[in-house]
């Protein structure tokens, strides 16, 4: 009887309301404007044992990539006499999200993302310059807070550039979504779980924003897809600028170090 009385005194919870992803002031949950990206940071040459390596951060998302090659194919049956082959492995650390579940390279989603990244790199790297060889790209997600696919592509491009592997053009990736009737750029983890349309794009900047990759996670009408896709392409230009600045800075540091060694 006492338990029933105490239970009767407990306040009842108000009915749950749908989360608002964009406030009346036009601000998102993390304080950004709808067309604003998260703060990005790039680092190259972070793993001395690799031929090329890089780390790409977008907000709380953190991805690291290591590249080995071009080198002789381990499996001669995979060797191509006219071009280099690219092998890509994608994995996500168990501590990268609150779920505490590791996504190894054999996980279905990891395999799909690795395939997408490999295809994007094959459209970017000058593979015909290194026939009968292979390039191994290993990507590890250290922290996942949305935009993992784009961050993985960007980290891979920086690592390949750090390895000195020739490319047709630098490639940058970004995502956009549609929530509360508003196109949003560079979604975080909470926004990705909002159930709205999500579009992932990768472009070659110096070729007039040539689109290399376009993926959407759910169905969308033309009226929704077109503005979201256009916003993602605009985001790629922003990411491209950050990556170029990182490449130039890293190159200048290497030139300075080599100049000192020459003395």
């Amino acid at each position: 009887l006492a338990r029933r009385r105490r239970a009767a005194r407990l306040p009842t919870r108000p009915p749950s309301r749908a989360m608002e992803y964009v406030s009346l002031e036009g601000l998102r949950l993390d304080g950004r404007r709808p067309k604003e990206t998260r703060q990005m940071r790039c680092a190259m040459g972070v793993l001395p044992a690799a031929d090329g390596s890089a780390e790409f951060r977008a907000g709380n998302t953190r991805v690291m990539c290591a590249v080995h090659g071009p080198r002789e194919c381990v499996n001669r049956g995979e060797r191509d006499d006219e071009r280099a082959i690219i092998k890509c492995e994608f994995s996500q650390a168990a501590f990268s999200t609150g779920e505490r579940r590791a996504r190894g390279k054999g996980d279905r989603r990891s395999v799909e993302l690795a395939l997408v990244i490999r295809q994007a790199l094959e459209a970017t790297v000058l593979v015909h310059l290194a026939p009968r060889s292979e390039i191994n790209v290993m990507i590890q997600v250290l922290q996942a807070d949305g935009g993992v696919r784009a961050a993985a592509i960007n980290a891979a491009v920086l690592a390949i550039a750090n390895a000195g592997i020739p490319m047709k053009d630098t490639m940058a990736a970004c995502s956009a979504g549609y929530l509360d009737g508003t196109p949003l750029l560079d979604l975080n983890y909470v926004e990705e779980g909002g159930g709205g349309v999500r579009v992932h794009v990768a472009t070659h900047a110096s070729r007039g924003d040539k689109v290399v990759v376009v993926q959407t996670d759910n169905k969308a009408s033309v009226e929704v897809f077109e503005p979201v896709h256009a916003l993602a392409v605009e985001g790629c230009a922003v990411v491209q600028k950050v990556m170029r600045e990182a490449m130039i800075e890293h190159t200048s540091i290497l030139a300075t170090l080599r100049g000192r060694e020459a003395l």
Side-chain angles (χ1 to χ4, degrees), residues 101-116:
R101 184 179 68 176
R103 290 186 181 273
K105 60 183 180 180
D107 177 81
R108 179 179 177 182
R109 180 173 179 270
S110 299
V111 172
E112 291 176 353
L113 289 177
L115 176 61
V116 171

Side-chain angles (χ1 to χ4, degrees), residues 188-207:
N188 59 30
Y189 182 78
V190 176
E191 291 170 336
E192 284 188 349
V197 175
R198 284 185 289 166
V199 178
H200 311 276
V201 177
T203 64
H204 287 164
S206 64
R207 298 191 172 201

Side-chain angles (χ1 to χ4, degrees), residues 10-152:
L10 292 174
T12 58
R13 293 183 179 180
S16 60
R17 299 174 58 188
M19 181 179 292
E20 294 182 355
Y21 295 95
V22 182
S23 67
L24 296 176
E25 292 78 16
L27 298 177
R28 295 154 70 173
L29 296 175
D30 54 8
R32 288 183 291 152
R33 297 288 180 182
K35 297 184 179 181
E36 185 178 352
T37 63
R38 292 172 290 179
Q39 184 178 4
M40 290 172 282
R41 286 181 290 176
C42 307
M44 300 173 68
V46 294
L47 300 173
D51 293 325
S53 60
E55 182 182 12
F56 184 88
R57 298 188 185 188
N60 293 326
T61 295
R62 182 180 176 186
V63 179
M64 188 170 290
C65 178
V67 171
H68 295 276
R71 58 187 180 186
E72 186 178 357
C73 286
V74 177
N75 187 349
R76 293 187 177 182
E78 298 177 346
R79 185 172 60 186
D80 192 325
D81 293 334
E82 297 182 356
R83 59 187 290 276
I85 62 171
I86 297 178
K87 294 183 178 180
C88 184
E89 293 182 4
F90 177 95
S91 60
Q92 189 166 319
F95 52 80
S96 62
T97 64
E99 297 178 359
R100 295 292 178 182
R101 184 179 68 176
R103 290 186 181 273
K105 60 183 180 180
D107 177 81
R108 179 179 177 182
R109 180 173 179 270
S110 299
V111 172
E112 291 176 353
L113 289 177
L115 176 61
V116 171
I117 297 169
R118 178 176 65 81
Q119 292 173 343
L121 294 177
E122 287 176 341
T124 303
V125 176
L126 296 174
V127 291
H128 66 279
L129 297 180
R132 300 181 297 280
S133 64
E134 67 179 27
I135 301 170
N136 294 278
V137 179
M138 287 153 284
I139 300 169
Q140 176 76 40
V141 179
L142 302 178
Q143 193 166 339
D145 186 30
V148 169
R149 189 174 331 201

